[in-house]
Amino acid sequence: MKFLNIGCGGKFSNDDAWENIDMVSHSKFVREYNLRKGLPYEDNRFDAIYHSQVLEHIPKEEASDFLKECYRVLREGGILRVVVPDLENVVNEYQKLLKENLQDPTKESKENYNWIMLEMYDQTIRNKSGGLMKEYLEKPKLINEAFMQTRMGFVGKEIRKNQNHKELMNHKLRKTLHNIGLFNLMIKIIRKVKNKALVFLLGEKYKIGSFRLSGEVHYWMYDKFSLGELLREVGFRNIKVKSPYLSDILNWKDYELDIKGNLVYDPTSLFMEAKKITVHKQG
């Protein structure tokens, strides 16, 4: 069996069954290739293809061509597993929190509402890496920490764990520098010099444009209807909504691509699978 993980980032399997590919590689197990040029493989090579949090980063008008490449390199009967942010999930949560805050708002419900608005819009409209989501997640304390875990799963747990460690180290550094009266002055100088230098060298519009084309922003959102329709138009059949725990890919749980340490990487995402089944026209 031969499987392909596209746009894997740091979430890949080093099992011999898997080949991992991405625009940038930081591991010997990941092949670096410009995915906008297609997939560098011959027809009918893989038994299964997986990509998570990739399709939404591709412009809507290019999504079909990308999926056609997946179809091309799959063998007959091969499985495509797609994981994307679930528009339906976000909208339902937004409507629930809107109603809750209109009727009986609390500090926690307001924070939950603020977060769901970021989920809906931030990664589409941001002009700098991390956007407003990053600023929110870097808060030392979140009164809606439990809610955030239900929304972000393993990814959120790691972000908050790293943030808490970072905050501890920053606190120690601030305490040391404060004693010699340098902290505030140092921060002001660094920010001023950095911002002025970047604007002078590149220009604000160039910086924003480069970031917007870097691959971080979301170009589209999908629900089970729109993603199913897109897969069907490309030629896939047996299209099904799956859970992060279940797949028709052999030994799925062993690879820990959607689940890590019993936690789902992206618990609010949409998980769908489809098969390459060639329909032969009669006559």
Side-chain angles (χ1 to χ4, degrees), residues 111-128:
E111 284 301 306
N112 293 345
Y113 175 86
N114 290 338
W115 174 258
I116 209 67
M117 290 296 290
L118 291 178
E119 269 194 46
M120 221 172 346
Y121 283 113
D122 182 59
Q123 206 158 346
T124 300
I125 58 90
R126 69 178 56 163
N127 288 327
K128 62 180 180 179

Side-chain angles (χ1 to χ4, degrees), residues 112-158:
N112 293 345
Y113 175 86
N114 290 338
W115 174 258
I116 209 67
M117 290 296 290
L118 291 178
E119 269 194 46
M120 221 172 346
Y121 283 113
D122 182 59
Q123 206 158 346
T124 300
I125 58 90
R126 69 178 56 163
N127 288 327
K128 62 180 180 179
S129 185
L132 295 174
M133 274 185 164
K134 180 174 180 289
E135 292 180 15
Y136 192 99
L137 291 169
E138 285 180 344
K139 293 179 180 180
K141 292 183 180 180
L142 294 173
I143 64 173
N144 60 340
E145 192 86 48
F147 172 79
M148 296 297 293
Q149 288 302 317
T150 66
R151 298 301 300 172
M152 299 192 69
F154 180 83
V155 174
K157 182 180 178 181
E158 289 299 297

